[in-house]
Each structure stands twice: as structure tokens, then as C-alpha cells.
Amino acid sequence: MNEAKMNPVDEMPDPSRRKFLNTAAVAGIAGAGLSVGLSACNKDAPAPTAGAAAQPVAAASHAANAHLKPGELDTYYGLWSGGHTGDFRVLGLPSGRELHRVPCFVPDALVGWGHTNESKAIMGTKPDGSLRYTVADTHHTHASYKDGNYDGRYAWINDKINSRIARIRLDYFICDKITELPNVQGFHGIFPDKRDPVDPAINYTTRVFCGAEFHIPLPNDGRDLDAPEKYRTLFSCVDAESMEVRWQVLIDGNCDLAATSYDGKLAATNQYNTEGGYHYEGMMSAERDACLFFNIARIEQAVKDGKFTTFGTSKVPVVDGTKTANADPKTALVAYVSVPKNPHGVNASPDGKYFICAGKLSPTGTVIELSKVLEWFDGKLDDVDKAIVAEVELGLGPLHTAFDGRGNAYTTLFLDSQIVKWNVEAAIKFHAGDKGAQYVVDRLDVHYQPGHINASQSETMFADGKWLCVGCKFSKDRFLPVGPLHAETEQLVDISGEKMVLVADHPVRPEPHDFIIFKRELLSPKQVYDINEFPLAVKDPKEAGVFRDGNKVTVKITSLAPAFEPREFRLKVGDEVTIILTNLDKIEDLTHGFAIPKYNVNFIVNPQETKSITFKADKPGVFWCYCTHFCHALHLEMRSRMIVEA
Ligand code: RUQ
Ligand code: CUA
Ligand code: CA
């Protein structure tokens, strides 16, 4: 954690620095042949306001609000993806302090994730017992909803590398389920629904939608290797409770990010490869791509009616969402709305009215009115592209959009290294012909090349317009150098006023992508486990001991500071050993660790938690199992002696 920068000099834009970065970024892009699309600016657009440097005095007082005194608690939680570290991070805001990392897809040495039997069962193993996957790439995390706000039950996060979705229980901040999506690659966007499209009593999340980016042969079993024109992608729906894949939709083009409407009727994904290109030139050959809208009620009806197919060994029903099969709006499952060249994010505005797609290779933001998409599905709008109510110039490389609940959108401009604040209704007026409508409200330089952006409560109906974070993909000169790998810069911006004020830089280990920020009152995590959550729990030190069945040995151990019970146990070389450890301490924050030297064992048990681990006793000798987590004045003395007889 580092403190807010107060030095006014640091807050002044350094023209030479920005110029260098922009030149480099644009040169790279131009070299890739993108310069034409990027310079195709709308000449009618209002002149952008000058880069708004934060006023040093204002910045200092805003920064003071973000700086918490020792012992003071943050007012917001932030849930962050960790990128190709594969983890899920929890931050306190506005301080920016990292509070926790929840292991899910990849092993973690602190917790013992990927080592204990319970975590391996969640992660998935090969027939030999080793982990199926040990790498992951997390991009997007979102939490479960009730009545348009977070309800504190679950969060979900994607793994792009191995097409997995993990669920995090927000009562204990633990991963409890992981599902691998069949027949997809490059699973990227993720978004829970916000209520049921049919049953008004279900005003909470029951589905999670998943978009897959890459085209593959279906099924990908060796067929059609050299026939890329036959490759396809699927949009998937996962059941929020069972975590089983409910259904998939075969589409034309690909998926990228995902969003859902507040009425539960629509899910969306933007697509950048309508061309079905398999090199970047092909993926950017068309001037426009699309944003797809999925009619959830109709898709589920089609599945019920048996109008689906399956691919390969997967039993998941796949409905036909391709363009030709969905030309008639009255029966269409999917609507294809045209948006400019290789769009990136798609975000739902907190008033429930609009979805916004950023242009990426077009300098524009596209505003799509949801009621008009529904009119098209009802046969009342002849052309679904008429649901576009604004398409306005924002700046170069627009990627993601956040909202303040006061009608303003904040879009990251990757190439400009800026955030643009713009008013959605003014943009709609401008698009309708009122060229005097000033939709750009403010611009802020960020450092550098921002990707994701989010504001406090922005993805709910209760966006409160206080804080905004922006994930900058390059930190360049913002921190002390630590060798070739740079930290990334997560910047904190105060958006409570008319002008955005940059108040803090935080270095983060590469590389977070998306995140959400919400009020701390929405969560009530438990700090001691319920011992009954664990079927193997050893509930009394008297139950501890060695239980032998041939060479299968179970060692039941309890921890109660400052001792393990039993204090020693005997094994024989060749034994297949399962250690079950219950932490009987009931006091908050009293965690113990359990490590066995030379046996590559280490994990922790939180208060009232049980974990187990299985290994082969393959070396004779004395091995001091010791507590790795500082727990007590006699922490160093807290040991159990494992004796392995030859
Ligand atoms: S994507 S920088 Cu993985 Cu979220 Cu837009
Ligand atoms: Cu128990 Cu340290
Ligand atoms: Ca394209």
C-alpha cells in the first residue's frame, strides 16, 4: 500500500512523458495496420476538453479522504481478478489495501490449496491424483444480486486458459465449486443475471452467463483442423446454485465481455470477430462488428421443447443462435446489433435503460436502448439496429465504462491514456441531431494505458458516484524500478464532484483485470467456521490418534493452542497416510498451520476448520510437524513428532 501522492508536481501531466507513450502505443498499432480505423474520427463531434489536470489543492483534500488513519476501516470492499496469477483478490477501499487473496484455480502454499484433499476435489484431479490444471488466467469477477444490489452470497470468476468458472462463497471467502465449460476456448466475459425473466418472485441471481472468445471445431476432437470456416463459439449459461452448465448457444462470430439487464430478460456479449478471422487482419477486416442480445426466456423454452443439439461427449443442450436461424424476431433467440469495429466492453447503466459498448478500434461509444431491443423481439421494431440511440466519439481506444448514478459514464481510453466522463442523455441528444449538446464533461490523464474501470456500486442500481478505480496496464515510471517486470498501476479517482480528481496510485502485482466495488454493509463474513460444515471433523482431542487398516493409515489430529493432539504418532514406510486436522480453537484470528518437513506438506486450519491431506510415507526418520502460522506465545513449541519406522 502506498499513500496518496500529495506532491502537486506529480499530479501535473508531463507532456513529454505522455507524448512518448502515445507515440509508442500508436506506432505499435499503426504497424499492425490499425491506424485507419483509429483516425476515422467524427468531424462533427465537439472538441474534446483539454486534459484536466487535478488541481493540487483539491487533490490534497480529496486524498485526505482516501487516507485512513491507523485502525480505521475501509467503507467499501473491492473484489479483483488477479489475471494470470490465477487468483481472486479482496481490497479495502478507498485505502487500496489488499486484505486477502482467495485461492481458486491455482495452488496456494499458505492455505494449502491444491494440496489438501478438499481443495483438490474442488480443483479436479487426473486419475493419478495429481491436479488437472495448475495455471489460470482470471479476468472478470461479479457477485450475486438481489433486487438490483449485491446480496453477499457468491462471487464468480473466470479462468480464460482452461475455460473454468469458480464460485467464491462470500460468507467465508472461499472457493467452493469450479466448473469446466464444455466445447469452448478463451472463456472471457462473465455476468450473473439479476432476476428471473419469467418468475417475478425470483428477484435474485440464479444463472451466470459466460462468453467464449476463440473459435474451435465442435467438438474439438481432431476434426476440421484445417477448416477454420467451420470453427464456432458458444455462449454458456451456468446454474448459480448447482454450478452445472444449463445450456449453450451456438452463435455466429465470437463472444468477449458479458452483461445482463436489470429485468432479467436479456444477456449480452460484444463481439469483435464477426468476420470469423483466424489472424488479426481477418478479425479487423469489417468496419462493424456486433453486440448480441440473448432472450433468456425464449432460450429456456427452446431447451424445454427439446429444440437443441449436443456436441461430442457433452450432454449440455446447445440451441441455435446463428443469424440465419434467428432472422424472424418473433421467434428469435438472439438479436445481432451492429456496433463499430472490434468493440470491447459492454456495460449496463444503473438506471436499467442502456447497454454501452466501447469501440476499441473505433473512437466511439455506442448506446443501445434495452426497451427497443425488447420491441424488436416483440416484432414492433423493424430493424434491431434502431435500438442504437447514440454512437458518439469519445477518444482513442475506448474499452470499459463505469457509471456514477447521476447520468454520467466514465470510459477508459487505452490509447489516449485517459478517462473520459460523458453524459449519456446528452450523448443521445447529440446523436439525435442536437449538435450543441455537450456530452463530454471531463477528461483525466491516467498512468498509463487504462483497461478496466469501475466505480463504487457501479454495476448495481445503487451506483453512488463516490470512488472510481482504473486499472492501468502500464506503470512505466510511476514506481521504483524492480527489474524488467513492472507493477501495474491501479489508480483511485474521486468522482464525487464535476471534475474527476486523481488521488492515489497503487502498485499491483500483474495483472488484475476487472473488479467490482461495493459498500461494506452488503457483506457479513463469518470469522469462525461452523465445525459441522466438515464431515471429517475431529470434534474432541479424545478422538485424535492413529487408525490403521492394513497399510492405509488415518491420523486424526486436533489443534488447540499451543498443542497438537496427538503429540507424536508412528507410521511405517509404505503406509498410505491421510492426516485429518481439526482446529478446535474457537477464537477469531486463531489460525494454525501444519507443515511436515521433507514431505512437502503445509496447510492452515482456521478456527473450527477441518482439512485433510493424503501422502505416502516413503522415508524413515523423525519429522517434526510444526505450526507454520503464528498463533500463540508457544507457537514455536507447537509441534507433533511424526516417527516413520523403516
Ligand atoms: S478484458 S481491458 Cu479481459 Cu476484461 Cu478489457
Ligand atoms: Cu499454532 Cu502457531
Ligand atoms: Ca472485427
Side-chain angles (χ1 to χ4, degrees):
M1 165 206 156
N2 66 334
E3 289 187 15
K5 286 200 171 172
M6 305 281 220
N7 183 348
V9 175
D10 290 331
E11 299 302 344
M12 299 301 287
D14 175 343
S16 57
R17 246 166 32 171
R18 267 203 68 210
K19 184 148 173 282
F20 162 73
L21 281 158
N22 274 345
T23 314
V26 174
I29 295 268
L34 301 181
S35 54
V36 178
L38 289 169
S39 57
C41 294
N42 179 353
K43 298 286 175 296
D44 292 338
T49 54
Q55 293 303 308
V57 177
S61 68
H62 287 268
N65 293 337
H67 180 76
L68 299 186
K69 295 188 190 75
E72 212 178 330
L73 298 184
D74 280 295
T75 45
Y76 293 87
Y77 279 103
L79 305 183
W80 249 254
S81 67
H84 46 290
T85 59
D87 61 20
F88 172 97
R89 303 176 188 177
V90 186
L91 272 64
L93 289 163
S95 75
R97 298 179 290 200
E98 187 179 303
L99 307 175
H100 191 28
R101 289 189 186 189
V102 181
C104 42
F105 297 118
V106 300
D108 179 278
L110 168 83
V111 170
W113 193 257
H115 296 275
T116 63
N117 296 332
E118 293 75 17
S119 59
K120 284 170 87 176
I122 292 168
M123 295 172 83
T125 50
K126 298 184 206 166
D128 70 357
S130 63
L131 290 175
R132 201 160 147 70
Y133 303 114
T134 53
V135 295
D137 182 21
T138 62
H139 284 226
H140 300 109
T141 180
H142 289 285
S144 57
Y145 287 83
K146 186 174 185 188
D147 287 326
N149 205 352
Y150 298 123
D151 65 3
R153 282 183 296 148
Y154 300 125
W156 289 272
I157 191 158
N158 76 307
D159 163 26
K160 181 167 170 175
I161 299 174
N162 296 310
S163 295
R164 292 177 294 170
I165 173 172
R167 182 170 73 187
I168 312 293
R169 275 177 63 170
L170 292 178
D171 53 354
Y172 293 127
F173 282 91
I174 51 162
C175 170
D176 75 334
K177 283 203 187 252
I178 292 176
T179 298
E180 187 171 342
L181 306 177
N183 291 313
V184 300
Q185 253 174 51
F187 159 35
H188 192 206
I190 180 173
F191 219 103
D193 66 4
K194 293 166 182 138
R195 56 191 311 136
D196 192 86
V198 181
D199 184 350
I202 303 178
N203 56 350
Y204 53 88
T205 295
T206 59
R207 308 168 181 83
V208 188
F209 302 107
C210 310
E213 263 183 83
F214 306 155
H215 294 76
I216 51 169
L218 288 177
N220 193 17
D221 57 1
R223 75 187 68 193
D224 299 335
L225 298 178
D226 297 307
E229 69 285 354
K230 290 191 184 162
Y231 300 176
R232 287 289 179 275
T233 48
L234 305 172
F235 184 78
S236 307
C237 172
V238 173
D239 189 280
E241 282 306 323
S242 71
M243 287 290 283
E244 272 161 28
V245 185
R246 282 197 189 183
W247 44 260
Q248 296 178 302
V249 186
L250 179 75
I251 56 165
D252 287 321
N254 70 338
C255 307
D256 189 16
L257 283 294
T260 61
S261 64
Y262 283 92
D263 60 11
K265 291 180 180 160
L266 300 171
T269 186
N270 63 294
Q271 52 179 217
Y272 61 82
N273 191 12
T274 47
E275 301 93 333
Y278 52 99
H279 292 137
Y280 71 78
E281 295 91 336
M283 297 181 205
M284 48 180 281
S285 59
E287 275 316 303
R288 293 183 80 91
D289 286 291
C291 182
L292 269 54
F293 290 87
F294 298 87
N295 188 316
I296 305 306
R298 282 191 194 170
I299 290 170
E300 301 212 330
Q301 192 57 48
V303 172
K304 257 190 212 153
D305 296 344
K307 294 180 194 154
F308 61 80
T309 181
T310 56
F311 289 110
T313 54
S314 164
K315 300 262 177 315
V316 176
V318 181
V319 299
D320 190 350
T322 55
K323 269 190 167 175
T324 43
N326 289 268
D328 178 3
K330 291 275 205 187
T331 55
L333 309 178
V334 184
Y336 288 73
V337 177
S338 155
V339 297
K341 210 174 179 79
N342 290 40
H344 193 56
V346 54
N347 293 90
S349 64
D351 57 12
K353 292 199 319 212
Y354 307 112
F355 275 15
I356 290 172
C357 277
K360 192 168 80 184
L361 299 192
S362 155
T364 51
T366 300
V367 182
I368 300 167
E369 189 167 341
L370 295 177
S371 63
K372 298 204 162 156
V373 176
L374 293 173
E375 276 174 35
W376 180 81
F377 277 117
D378 288 344
K380 293 183 198 136
L381 190 73
D382 61 326
D383 178 357
V384 75
D385 286 352
K386 288 186 182 162
I388 296 171
V389 290
E391 200 160 282
V392 291
E393 189 183 321
L394 298 174
L396 294 186
L399 292 182
H400 293 279
T401 298
F403 303 92
D404 63 8
R406 297 187 294 268
N408 301 304
Y410 301 73
T411 301
T412 46
L413 302 173
F414 182 79
L415 294 172
D416 278 340
S417 279
Q418 281 187 336
I419 302 170
V420 56
K421 172 181 177 181
W422 53 290
N423 185 278
V424 178
E425 294 301 336
I428 293 170
K429 281 194 192 122
F430 180 86
H431 183 80
D434 177 358
K435 298 297 172 204
Q438 289 290 329
Y439 60 86
V440 172
V441 181
D442 192 22
R443 288 180 191 274
L444 178 75
D445 290 329
V446 296
H447 312 86
Y448 302 91
Q449 268 78 36
H452 273 285
I453 188 168
N454 230 326
S456 42
Q457 296 279 151
S458 175
E459 304 272 12
T460 73
M461 286 169 74
F462 303 90
D464 66 5
K466 289 213 165 77
W467 298 106
L468 179 137
C469 288
V470 55
C472 298
K473 297 290 180 195
F474 295 83
S475 64
K476 301 279 177 189
D477 49 9
R478 297 295 276 193
F479 305 112
L480 285 177
V482 287
L485 178 66
H486 288 56
E488 296 194 15
T489 331
E490 297 281 317
Q491 293 188 303
L492 181 75
V493 178
D494 183 336
I495 54 165
S496 58
E498 179 82 353
K499 289 218 157 284
M500 296 177 274
V501 182
L502 177 64
V503 295
D505 277 13
H506 293 280
V508 284
R509 187 156 193 249
E511 56 159 37
H513 291 244
D514 203 5
F515 51 88
I516 55 172
I517 303 164
F518 54 89
K519 291 195 169 146
R520 70 179 185 201
E521 296 81 40
L522 295 176
L523 284 193
S524 36
K526 300 176 194 159
Q527 286 162 313
V528 175
Y529 277 102
D530 175 352
I531 200 165
N532 298 313
E533 292 246 0
F534 306 97
L536 299 180
V538 188
K539 293 186 180 173
D540 192 301
K542 289 192 206 103
E543 292 172 23
V546 177
F547 302 85
R548 178 175 286 278
D549 176 10
N551 69 344
K552 285 207 190 308
V553 182
T554 304
V555 186
K556 296 186 181 181
I557 304 178
T558 59
S559 61
L560 193 59
F564 290 114
E565 183 63 38
R567 311 280 184 99
E568 59 186 60
F569 54 97
R570 246 164 228 280
L571 304 169
K572 294 193 180 79
V573 167
D575 285 347
E576 195 193 287
V577 187
T578 296
I579 286 182
I580 302 171
L581 171 58
T582 298
N583 181 1
L584 291 178
D585 277 301
K586 287 185 182 155
I587 301 167
E588 185 183 322
D589 207 4
L590 219 164
T591 296
H592 298 286
F594 192 84
I596 311 179
K598 312 298 177 191
Y599 272 90
N600 197 37
V601 166
N602 183 39
F603 58 97
I604 54 169
V605 275
N606 291 301
Q608 300 282 292
E609 186 179 26
T610 299
K611 280 181 185 160
S612 67
I613 195 159
T614 300
F615 59 92
K616 192 132 193 170
D618 57 2
K619 299 173 269 290
V622 169
F623 303 90
W624 288 102
C625 308
Y626 73 97
C627 178
T628 44
H629 207 94
F630 213 108
C631 55
H632 188 276
L634 292 173
H635 158 73
L636 292 172
E637 291 81 354
M638 186 168 179
R639 304 186 209 166
S640 182
R641 187 163 53 123
M642 181 170 93
I643 299 162
V644 184
E645 296 169 354

